[in-house]
Amino acid sequence: AQSVTQPDIHITVSEGASLELRCNYSYGATPYLFWYVQSPGQGLQLLLKYFSGDTLVQGIKGFEAEFKRSQSSFNLRKPSVHWSDAAEYFCAVDDTGTASKLTFGTGTRLQVTL
Amino acid sequence: ETGVTQSPTHLIKTRGQQVTLRCSSQSGHNTVSWYQQALGQGPQFIFQYYREEENGRGNFPPRFSGLQFPNYSSELNVNALELDDSALYLCASSPSLGSEQYFGPGTRLTVT
């Protein structure tokens, strides 16, 4: 069975600093890959997705992610974090081709200090 | 355009009872998936409906069941509630298979 690992449970960065959130998956082929953000008491908002093609994908709110097949990774990055980015971030994978039967990681909670 | 809505927002039930959660998909979306998110965890896939038919199921027992209606709204039913069913239940719709999903705000279920 496929799995998704987000090794960092909690990350704290200063406002204006760069950010990288790690995500690794275990699956033989290249699945569909996603990053979602969840603010307290809210549902999930899609930040970006990778289906195929260019391995560097741009998303909303200034986020980007890079798919590295050799490392089975899909890390999320942002060059300059804003206080409003504080939230829970989830990496998700779909290997069914439907893009809607997702396996999620356990999440990384981002705290932003001023 | 109206997004995905869920009702109720919060619910408290007693162990052994039954519960029905509702989801209204985004306009034009024919696919809906349900997820369970326990506290401190990522969401877990329960099942998916596509054009009113179940189209895949995660590792959940049969007491978790669902329906999708002709207008593509959906229900999640849970029978014989257990304490471990306490969680945030998320509904997500997509315009078709192979398209990304849009999540609703969730229903917080507490089983006592």
Side-chain angles (χ1 to χ4, degrees):
Chain A
Q2 63 181 354
S3 65
V4 180
T5 302
Q6 294 181 247
D8 304 306
I9 297 172
H10 187 200
I11 284 182
T12 300
V13 299
S14 300
E15 189 175 41
S18 64
L19 171 71
E20 182 169 24
L21 302 182
R22 295 182 291 165
C23 173
N24 293 93
Y25 63 91
S26 65
Y27 183 65
T30 300
Y32 292 169
L33 299 161
F34 305 82
W35 275 99
Y36 283 88
V37 62
Q38 186 176 38
S39 298
Q42 305 279 324
L44 298 169
Q45 182 182 23
L46 178 67
L47 288 175
L48 47 78
K49 63 184 186 289
Y50 175 79
F51 286 4
S52 65
D54 192 347
T55 56
L56 183 64
V57 294
Q58 303 297 321
I60 62 171
K61 303 185 180 185
F63 285 93
E64 66 177 27
E66 186 172 12
F67 167 59
K68 293 185 177 180
R69 184 191 307 274
S70 61
Q71 299 176 19
S72 296
S73 69
F74 188 57
N75 294 349
L76 182 71
R77 300 193 294 248
K78 186 169 185 177
S80 178
V81 170
H82 188 262
W83 65 266
S84 61
D85 292 325
E88 186 95 24
Y89 291 81
F90 291 96
C91 180
V93 163
D94 169 73
D95 67 344
T96 67
T98 66
S100 52
K101 299 174 185 175
L102 303 181
T103 299
F104 283 84
T106 52
T108 297
R109 178 161 296 280
L110 174 65
Q111 183 176 356
V112 180
T113 58
L114 300 177
Chain B
E1 182 178 284
T2 305
V4 179
T5 58
Q6 294 185 242
S7 62
T9 305
H10 295 91
L11 201 53
I12 300 175
K13 288 287 189 178
T14 302
R15 190 171 49 184
Q17 287 187 317
Q18 178 266 342
V19 69
T20 298
L21 310 182
R22 294 179 174 82
C23 171
S24 180
S25 299
Q26 196 160 323
S27 177
H29 288 193
N30 59 20
T31 303
V32 65
S33 299
W34 285 90
Y35 293 82
Q36 179 196 66
Q37 186 178 18
L39 201 60
Q41 301 294 317
Q44 282 195 293
F45 174 73
I46 302 174
F47 46 56
Q48 179 186 78
Y49 280 81
Y50 171 63
R51 293 185 174 179
E52 303 177 57
E53 297 285 331
E54 187 177 294
N55 184 48
R57 188 179 185 89
N59 189 27
F60 280 82
R63 60 189 185 84
F64 285 77
S65 63
L67 281 173
Q68 187 182 30
F69 300 101
N71 66 355
Y72 299 135
S73 64
S74 175
E75 286 182 354
L76 164 65
N77 299 288
V78 187
N79 293 321
L81 283 167
E82 300 176 0
L83 297 179
D84 285 347
D85 295 333
S86 295
L88 180 68
Y89 287 85
L90 296 164
C91 164
S93 72
S94 51
S96 64
L97 295 176
S99 302
E100 68 264 27
Q101 299 176 101
Y102 298 85
F103 281 80
T107 293
R108 172 74 61 188
L109 172 65
T110 301
V111 182
T112 62

